[in-house]
Amino acid sequence: MSNIVSNWENSESFAKKLDQNDSLKTYREHFHMPTFTKNPIIYYTGNSLGLQPKSTKSYINQELDDWAKWGVEGHFYAKNPWMPYHELLAKKTAKIVGAKESEVAVTHSLTTNLHLLMVSFYRPTKSRFKILCEKKAFPSDQYALQSQAQFHGYNPEECIVEISPREGEKLIRTDDIINKVQELGESLSMIMIGGVNYFSGQVFEMEKITKAGHKVGAIVGFDLAHAAGNIVLELNKWDVDFAAWCTYKYLNSGPGGVSGYYINEKHVTNPSILRFAGWWGHDKSNRFEMPDKFKPIPTAESWQLSNAPVISMAAHLASLDIFDEIGMKALREKSEKLTAYQEFVINDVNNKTGGNLEIITPKNPKDRGCQLSIVAHGYGKKLFDEISEKGVVADWREPNVIRIAPVPLYNNYEDAYRFGQILKNALS
Ligand SMILES: *Cc1c(COP(=O)(O)O)cnc(C)c1O
């Protein structure tokens, strides 16, 4: 990457040249770019809500039309029959997270899935009950962990161990995580960390963390809300125990869209792993004979409680088909370059405006996704309001962080250049 950077320029013509040479450039046209801003938009919040693929409407309309035409018989006779509809998502999802098809399913919502997974995988005992998570985890994850601890009769403060950056640092060192795992040793029941930290954009070294956790006998799970569709994942290869993610961020499935989850194959059919059960997890061959006794499907589907939310799934499928066409490897390649160019532009602006900007996201492209978290020292929210006024849709986090997400599917190098110009004008 560094020898590319050496001949980069912070100019409109150079940005346009990068766009011309971008093999994924046409995908921007596959998405609806919002039109609500007074000035031309730079949509940099795909990490909160991904944009709508133009194809989504037809995917949803297909199901609405089949519902109109078939009523309940759509479960069998819709173009994409609703009974097995969720199976359309599993294969494509498995590729995105690096899992076997039998290890993933898509349904419910993220926090719901985290709880369902913890019911199975957080099984504290008197001597082994601790949970290791990152400090400043997303609030919903914190609440989920706290309530799980309480549910099992533990005081969250004694149970939950948070790992934080060292004094004066912004990122959490992998060595510190691993040392903490070793220190907790046999008292550690579960590690539950975000694959990519939502605040700093730091990618955690999931393979190493998993290995360290297993070494002391702990279960290792990840919240991949900011990782799925953003970075290349190899959950099966890394031997991760469980994971879950939402699909409305980088996976563009629309507000409140369905969530995906992964359960390692070694656990899926293990009868000693308990789960909360519902009829959609029951053996498909006799589900409608309404038997009294639950017989789990021998895949991750057996954690599904309810029948498939087909309309939400249709929206998700529209986006999954785009991911399937491109593949995570090619997408990540562009992502690393686009984010690096945005970083280059910001650094150039910073050099010319007094040097008050600090990017707290890791500098090495491998250690971050398509996000940059910028601290503007001495500026506060006013700077954010000014760039918003000029068409930048970004995210503000107290006390002083502007988060931007140059998403490789629909953002381009010209966005990165224009963002720099807007920032420069606001700073000077
Ligand atoms: C976005 C996000 C959530 C949101 O949870 P929902 O159940 O989908 O509302 C949870 N955790 C993390 C880490 C997130 O980034």
Side-chain angles (χ1 to χ4, degrees):
M1 192 70 63
S2 59
N3 53 353
I4 313 175
V5 175
S6 65
N7 53 32
W8 274 354
E9 291 166 23
N10 179 14
S11 72
E12 187 174 2
S13 60
F14 189 79
K16 283 186 166 164
K17 207 162 73 192
L18 289 176
D19 280 327
Q20 274 163 19
N21 295 330
D22 170 14
S23 60
L24 303 182
K25 62 174 178 266
T26 54
Y27 282 96
R28 186 177 172 94
E29 299 306 316
H30 288 50
F31 290 84
H32 289 290
M33 195 54 78
T35 54
F36 69 92
T37 51
K38 202 166 66 205
N39 289 297
I41 192 167
I42 299 176
Y43 192 81
Y44 267 180
T45 40
N47 55 348
S48 284
L49 186 75
L51 290 181
Q52 183 188 140
K54 288 178 180 166
S55 58
T56 303
K57 201 173 256 178
S58 68
Y59 279 68
I60 290 178
N61 279 342
Q62 178 69 49
E63 304 318 319
L64 293 178
D65 291 347
D66 280 339
W67 179 19
K69 179 174 174 192
W70 293 103
V72 70
E73 298 297 332
H75 284 94
F76 307 99
Y77 301 118
K79 183 173 171 227
N80 305 305
W82 303 329
M83 275 287 288
Y85 195 93
H86 60 277
E87 293 169 18
L88 295 173
L89 310 177
K91 187 179 270 167
K92 290 162 184 162
T93 295
K95 280 199 225 164
I96 289 176
V97 297
K100 296 189 177 168
E101 198 178 332
S102 61
E103 293 177 310
V104 297
V106 185
T107 194
H108 318 133
S109 62
L110 172 55
T111 309
T112 309
N113 279 334
L114 286 175
H115 275 301
L116 291 173
L117 291 167
M118 284 194 277
V119 159
S120 299
F121 295 108
Y122 178 55
R123 309 278 299 163
T125 65
K126 272 206 171 60
S127 59
R128 189 190 280 281
F129 59 91
K130 297 213 165 159
I131 300 171
L132 182 66
C133 69
E134 85 256 50
K135 194 166 176 77
K136 261 189 190 282
F138 193 86
S140 198
D141 299 46
Q142 294 185 41
Y143 308 152
L145 293 176
Q146 289 160 11
S147 59
Q148 283 285 332
Q150 283 167 329
F151 179 74
H152 288 284
Y154 295 93
N155 176 352
E157 275 163 33
E158 284 166 26
C159 202
I160 299 171
V161 179
E162 292 183 339
I163 182 99
S164 46
R166 292 184 187 185
E167 187 72 32
E169 297 185 5
K170 298 285 196 306
L171 306 169
I172 302 173
R173 299 189 190 195
T174 305
D175 284 348
D176 288 355
I177 299 176
I178 289 175
N179 289 338
K180 185 53 89 178
V181 170
Q182 285 164 356
E183 183 193 316
L184 293 169
E186 292 189 355
S187 72
L188 183 62
S189 174
M190 176 178 75
I191 300 174
M192 230 289 283
I193 295 188
V196 175
N197 180 270
Y198 82 100
F199 186 76
S200 66
Q202 173 179 14
V203 173
F204 289 106
E205 294 191 74
M206 287 175 258
E207 186 172 18
K208 284 188 189 163
I209 294 168
T210 304
K211 217 173 243 151
H214 287 170
K215 224 174 194 166
V216 301
I219 283 277
V220 185
F222 292 99
D223 182 331
L224 302 176
H226 282 264
N230 180 12
I231 60 171
V232 175
L233 296 163
E234 292 286 357
L235 298 181
N236 176 278
K237 204 173 108 199
W238 299 339
D239 203 26
V240 170
D241 293 298
F242 71 89
W245 53 94
C246 51
T247 64
Y248 49 80
K249 290 173 180 164
Y250 293 108
L251 292 170
N252 315 311
S253 70
V258 279
S259 154
Y261 62 85
Y262 154 91
I263 298 167
N264 192 297
E265 59 187 337
K266 71 186 171 201
H267 300 309
V268 165
T269 54
N270 178 348
S272 72
I273 305 276
L274 301 177
R275 65 171 83 62
F276 281 177
W279 73 321
W280 232 247
H282 181 88
D283 181 10
K284 292 170 203 178
S285 66
N286 72 344
R287 185 186 284 145
F288 283 90
E289 291 160 27
M290 307 282 177
D292 297 339
K293 201 163 170 298
F294 180 75
K295 184 179 164 210
I297 303 168
T299 72
E301 289 171 84
S302 55
W303 270 258
Q304 297 176 134
L305 299 182
S306 302
N307 73 90
V310 167
I311 309 289
S312 289
M313 287 181 171
H316 187 33
L317 186 58
S319 177
L320 281 178
D321 279 342
I322 296 173
F323 276 86
D324 213 48
E325 203 174 281
I326 300 172
M328 277 312 298
K329 230 180 114 214
L331 194 63
R332 177 66 165 148
E333 212 169 284
K334 173 175 175 186
S335 175
E336 287 185 12
K337 189 169 167 186
L338 178 61
T339 297
Y341 184 65
Q342 182 65 86
E343 178 187 42
F344 166 82
V345 166
I346 293 169
N347 287 339
D348 186 59
V349 167
N350 195 32
N351 289 337
K352 289 170 182 160
T353 54
N356 292 309
L357 302 177
E358 181 194 358
I359 297 173
I360 62 169
T361 305
K363 292 194 174 13
N364 183 349
K366 302 278 174 250
D367 298 333
R368 66 185 182 204
C370 60
Q371 176 184 324
L372 295 171
S373 301
I374 309 161
V375 178
H377 294 285
Y379 279 87
K381 183 134 190 292
K382 196 161 154 276
L383 178 70
F384 176 77
D385 292 339
E386 269 183 53
I387 64 172
S388 301
E389 175 68 24
K390 296 287 184 246
V392 174
V393 180
D395 174 89
W396 170 258
R397 291 283 145 157
E398 294 293 343
N400 59 354
V401 174
I402 297 171
R403 292 190 310 164
I404 59 169
V407 173
L409 270 176
Y410 45 75
N411 286 121
N412 61 19
Y413 295 93
E414 203 181 333
D415 286 339
Y417 166 74
R418 285 179 45 232
F419 177 79
Q421 291 299 298
I422 291 171
L423 196 60
K424 190 167 128 201
N425 290 336
L427 286 168
S428 42

